[in-house]
Amino acid sequence: MTDAERAAFWRGKRVLVTGGAGFLGSALCHALAAQGARVTALDAMFEDGGANIANLEGASVLLVRGDIRDVELASLCQGVDVLFNMAAQTSHMGGQKDPVADIAINAVSQVRLIQVMREAAPQATVVHASTRQFYGRPTYLPVDEVHPVNPPDANGVSKWAGEQYWLLEQRVLGRPVVSLRLTNCYGPRLRIRDARQTFLGIWIRQCLKGEGFEVWGGEQLRDMTYVDDVVDAFLRSAEYAPRPAVAGRVFNLGGSPPASLLELADRLISANGGQGHYAVKSFPADRAPIDIGSYHADDRAFRAATGWAPRVGLDEGLARSLDWYRTRLADYT
């Protein structure tokens, strides 16, 4: 799809983005508004989540503050053309500590949203933000979509349930649904004041503040996806969702070639002009049992189905991220 074709596809479309003030949700909102879509962002704006009012600065988006568990959904969903379902509780330790709240957000509220969408927008396309956490500790690398599912923690279980409810909508009712199982995503608007979204957030903050950070373990492999490439993947998922090769599918999404955490730490410091330092530590006792070890995705299925490929390499993405936050630390720390 050319840039002109993409703009024509999205112009005037009614789009609802749950979790729309969060890291990935807000990036989608900016991109959709730039294409001429009529975008509503729904977000509970939880203090311990990824939402930040600064994330939507400059975007022509209607922000509705509300918790997906109890907000009035019918008017928000009425007549929407596309739902990007980004709302989730993503903290692994948070899910372990409060699995009831975890499943209420990641599974029960998904069923609530599904029921409303059946009445308010029965023809809408749905793209669901999912996770590679389902796979647990991989039995082989790279991990493809047929790898056994073995969630290592409560958060993985609840998100697996939520994803499966959405896939049922396609199998039973024929709704165009696509689920993207994401790896470690990074870039502008990521929560960096702590490690609740990803370890890289706290690393970025510490580098920019001239303070050290910790690398737990260090040999684990990760593939990182820059936010612009993630946004492109979500847009393509919606654009291609009605096609038989895409509808009802689960796709892994990878990114740059895998790097160890130690290599990633060194490349971050290099991207910061050589400024930064770290200490290698053992995993904390409460986190070690849910660590998945090395992971990188086999995303050939998604590339073949949609033509997607990451455009931003790791070193460029790290440099872009650091540059973006330099003048915005007050808003994000």
Side-chain angles (χ1 to χ4, degrees):
M1 184 176 287
T2 66
D3 291 344
E5 289 170 335
R6 170 165 284 179
F9 179 91
W10 289 106
R11 190 175 300 115
K13 286 270 196 309
R14 293 194 61 189
V15 181
L16 175 62
V17 183
T18 66
F23 166 43
L24 296 179
S26 63
L28 262 173
C29 286
H30 280 274
L32 289 162
Q35 297 290 350
R38 294 181 291 165
V39 185
T40 299
L42 171 65
D43 206 296
M45 304 299 293
F46 291 140
E47 179 64 25
D48 58 356
N52 188 328
I53 193 65
N55 283 348
L56 291 173
E57 183 178 337
S60 297
V61 172
L62 173 64
L63 173 62
V64 176
R65 297 178 184 239
D67 187 336
I68 194 172
R69 290 174 290 185
D70 54 26
V71 70
E72 193 280 312
L73 288 170
S75 61
L76 296 174
C77 296
Q78 189 64 47
V80 302
D81 299 298
V82 180
L83 166 66
F84 288 104
N85 191 34
M86 318 297 286
Q89 200 291 104
T90 60
S91 171
H92 302 298
M93 292 308 299
Q96 290 295 96
K97 293 176 180 177
D98 191 354
V100 173
D102 190 79
I103 201 167
I105 296 171
N106 292 341
V108 177
S109 69
Q110 298 302 314
V111 177
R112 180 173 183 261
L113 179 57
I114 285 168
Q115 290 177 316
V116 173
M117 286 288 290
R118 285 178 181 175
E119 296 295 325
Q123 305 302 316
T125 293
V126 176
V127 185
H128 179 71
S130 192
T131 175
R132 49 97 167 138
Q133 190 74 2
F134 301 157
Y135 299 119
R137 185 174 288 268
T139 59
Y140 58 83
L141 293 171
V143 174
D144 56 21
E145 291 85 355
V146 299
H147 186 285
V149 170
N150 188 26
D153 57 23
N155 186 254
V157 172
S158 67
K159 292 209 72 180
W160 164 254
E163 178 194 77
Q164 294 306 301
Y165 279 118
W166 278 110
L167 294 175
L168 275 175
E169 285 296 282
Q170 197 282 327
R171 292 199 295 270
V172 176
L173 298 178
R175 181 192 293 280
V177 175
V178 180
S179 183
L180 292 182
R181 292 180 179 172
L182 307 177
T183 186
N184 288 97
C185 305
Y186 72 104
R189 302 182 183 89
L190 175 70
R191 178 179 173 127
I192 65 168
R193 65 177 179 236
D194 52 32
R196 286 188 67 88
Q197 277 197 310
T198 176
F199 63 89
L200 189 56
I202 193 73
W203 290 10
I204 289 172
R205 186 195 76 175
Q206 295 299 92
C207 274
L208 290 175
K209 293 178 69 176
E211 300 175 1
F213 58 91
E214 295 181 354
V215 178
W216 295 347
E219 300 303 321
Q220 310 96 303
L221 297 176
R222 291 289 185 270
D223 51 353
M224 311 294 294
T225 320
Y226 188 70
V227 62
D228 289 1
D229 291 324
V230 181
V231 167
D232 182 42
F234 273 89
L235 295 179
R236 286 175 185 260
S237 295
E239 292 157 3
Y240 285 78
R243 302 186 184 187
V246 177
R249 295 280 300 276
V250 165
F251 293 106
N252 290 344
L253 194 72
S256 300
S260 72
L261 296 190
L262 287 173
E263 180 185 353
L264 181 59
D266 288 335
R267 290 168 75 171
L268 177 66
I269 291 171
S270 178
N272 197 40
Q275 301 299 308
H277 62 279
Y278 60 86
V280 179
K281 303 279 189 177
S282 298
F283 260 86
D286 60 341
R287 292 180 179 266
I290 64 174
D291 174 50
I292 65 167
S294 291
Y295 176 91
H296 54 101
D298 181 343
D299 59 12
R300 288 176 294 177
F302 187 68
R303 296 184 189 221
T306 66
W308 177 88
R311 298 179 181 179
V312 181
L314 180 59
D315 295 318
E316 180 185 353
L318 293 173
R320 284 192 194 182
S321 301
L322 289 161
D323 287 345
W324 192 87
Y325 283 108
R326 287 187 207 283
T327 59
R328 297 175 173 88
L329 275 180
D331 289 332
Y332 288 88
T333 59

